[in-house]
Amino acid sequence: MRALQLPDWKSDPKLVEVDQPEPGPGEVVVKIGGSGACHSDLHLMHDFEGEELPWSPPFTLGHENAGWVDTVGDGVSAVEVGQAVAVYGPWGCGRCPRCRVGVENYCENPEAAPIPGGGGGLGLDGGMAEFMLVPHERLLVPLPDGLEPAVAAPLSDAGLTPYHAIRRSLPRLLPNTHTVAIGLGGLGHVGVQMLSAMSATTIIAVDLKEEALAGAEADGAHVTILSDDGAAEEIMTATGGKGADLVLDFVGADPTIGLAMSVVRPMGEVTVVGIGGGTFEWAFMGVPYESSLANTYWGTRPELIEVLNLGARGLIRPRTTTFSLDDAVGAYEQLDAGDLDGRAVIVP
Ligand code: NAD
Ligand code: ZN
Ligand code: ZN
């Protein structure tokens, strides 16, 4: 079968011919119906040298996947051949206390996972191929009625990651609060839809691109602000001078973390989701009292079930452009150039 692989660090992806996977005991092969192209894959292609991560290329890209169960190994009973499923992406050991409650994104024993700190498309073969091997049935979530794999695929990362970041702060998103979302691409535009669907907070959306701001307005943002030198002041004005209760940074570069920390209010939260390599120098007198700064990684298995529910009910609708496997390289080029609206989904 054909697969889009990352051949090495600091290299471009390549369409190659590989063997079709066969499930061993307890494993499942999924026929891919959609595989999203995440900006993290661009970091893998361009930013990493090899020492930062406990795994290495070559492997098939694509870590946000959905499709249909194709073949199952001995002992698999939780899914049936032909069933539509989303693949839960952060593969943990499955046995530690956190994995047992579905928090595999923060597995306590990554050495016992299929690959430490990775998963399909992150060290092991992912979904930018006709078929993908999933090492355990617990990592598959049946799709609710009405949700097609090509629509569900981006929900497993571009949906799940902002959902996890928002859900941890949800109790504070009451009326008379302000939430800033910076970076309105694949993750951020779904994040705005989720804030709109799940909370009464006033949503302030920030991006470098006018088109992304127009999209965010359609997604439920109440205020949109261009990410330039005047952005902090505009955000402060939009919050009535109080500052933001929550800032979600879907970029994670120096300027965006700096912007986030300059507009968060006392007792507010900044959650950095983007992996843009930014740093921030914390000082007692340099940040608002009781403000907190956290990073989040992906989401939990139960949260993926909740995200799929939001998708099936039409409460979130990721904007996607579909590409064939032949055009997958071009999809990443468009993502890199900032030419995409929402998410690119590869449909083999
Ligand atoms: P994307 O390319 O689809 O979107 C990025 C958006 O940010 C674009 O709209 C771009 O215009 C905007 N942007 C860039 N610089 C900006 C700035 N200075 N100010 C305001 N807006 C700016 O990317 P994506 O797939 O949504 O991923 C976003 C980031 O999240 C990436 O760094 C990715 O690696 C990371 N990510 C993290 C996790 C996690 O678990 N923490 C999961 C998935 C992706
Ligand atoms: Zn991703
Ligand atoms: Zn674990």
Side-chain angles (χ1 to χ4, degrees):
M1 64 171 188
R2 289 171 321 145
L4 187 79
Q5 292 213 328
L6 181 68
D8 204 348
W9 298 120
K10 301 268 180 192
S11 70
D12 292 324
K14 238 179 152 165
L15 202 53
V16 297
E17 196 65 32
V18 298
D19 290 340
Q20 191 171 319
E22 283 174 27
E27 299 177 339
V28 179
V29 168
V30 173
K31 182 176 161 56
I32 293 296
S35 183
C38 179
H39 202 112
S40 297
D41 296 331
L42 295 179
H43 296 315
L44 292 179
M45 294 167 201
H46 304 149
D47 299 343
F48 292 106
E49 310 263 3
E51 293 102 45
E52 304 90 340
L53 294 166
W55 35 263
S56 51
F59 56 85
T60 301
L61 289 163
H63 57 263
E64 49 178 53
N65 305 301
W68 300 269
V69 174
D70 183 70
T71 39
V72 299
D74 285 346
V76 170
S77 60
V79 292
E80 284 170 24
V81 171
Q83 192 173 11
V85 289
V87 181
Y88 174 72
W91 297 346
C93 75
R95 295 187 296 270
C96 74
R98 284 187 176 161
C99 282
R100 281 181 192 277
V101 296
V103 189
E104 300 206 25
N105 47 328
Y106 302 135
C107 169
E108 292 171 357
N109 190 14
E111 293 309 317
I115 194 158
L122 298 164
L124 295 174
D125 289 337
M128 294 208 178
E130 282 144 330
F131 298 91
M132 172 182 177
L133 182 70
V134 177
H136 198 281
E137 60 190 1
R138 74 171 192 283
L139 302 168
L140 297 172
V141 178
L143 295 189
D145 284 345
L147 206 53
E148 288 299 311
V151 178
L155 295 179
S156 69
D157 178 17
L160 178 56
T161 302
Y163 185 78
H164 178 75
I166 291 166
R167 195 183 194 278
R168 64 192 285 277
S169 300
L170 205 51
R172 66 171 60 220
L173 302 187
L174 301 171
N176 204 26
T177 65
H178 296 87
T179 298
V180 178
I182 306 172
L184 310 167
L187 271 64
H189 90 284
V190 185
V192 169
Q193 293 179 4
M194 288 170 169
L195 289 167
S196 180
M198 302 199 299
S199 86
T201 195
T202 296
I203 305 165
I204 301 169
V206 181
D207 201 286
L208 291 170
K209 297 188 298 182
E210 292 280 6
E211 312 85 69
L213 297 182
E217 211 167 294
D219 290 331
H222 303 100
V223 182
T224 59
I225 291 174
L226 212 52
S227 188
D228 58 20
D229 290 347
E233 203 180 317
E234 282 184 64
I235 293 169
M236 289 308 290
T237 304
T239 64
K242 292 186 296 190
D245 296 85
L246 172 66
V247 186
L248 301 160
D249 180 359
F250 295 108
V251 181
D254 278 343
T256 56
I257 301 175
L259 175 64
M261 290 305 290
S262 71
V263 300
V264 68
R265 70 185 298 203
M267 300 174 77
E269 287 179 337
V270 171
T271 304
V272 180
V273 177
I275 312 177
T279 57
F280 176 79
E281 195 175 305
W282 188 93
F284 190 95
M285 301 308 291
V287 297
Y289 290 122
E290 287 191 41
S291 59
S292 57
L293 172 59
N295 54 355
T296 56
Y297 179 63
W298 224 324
T300 71
R301 273 193 281 124
E303 285 168 348
L304 178 55
I305 296 167
E306 294 170 8
V307 171
L308 294 174
N309 178 277
L310 283 177
R313 289 163 61 208
L315 292 169
I316 54 170
R317 305 154 308 279
R319 278 192 297 284
T320 59
T321 311
T322 52
F323 293 81
S324 68
L325 209 42
D326 290 310
D327 296 332
V329 172
Y332 280 112
E333 284 168 1
Q334 288 191 32
L335 178 64
D336 206 6
D339 288 345
L340 286 170
D341 176 27
R343 201 55 143 188
V345 177
I346 311 306
V347 178

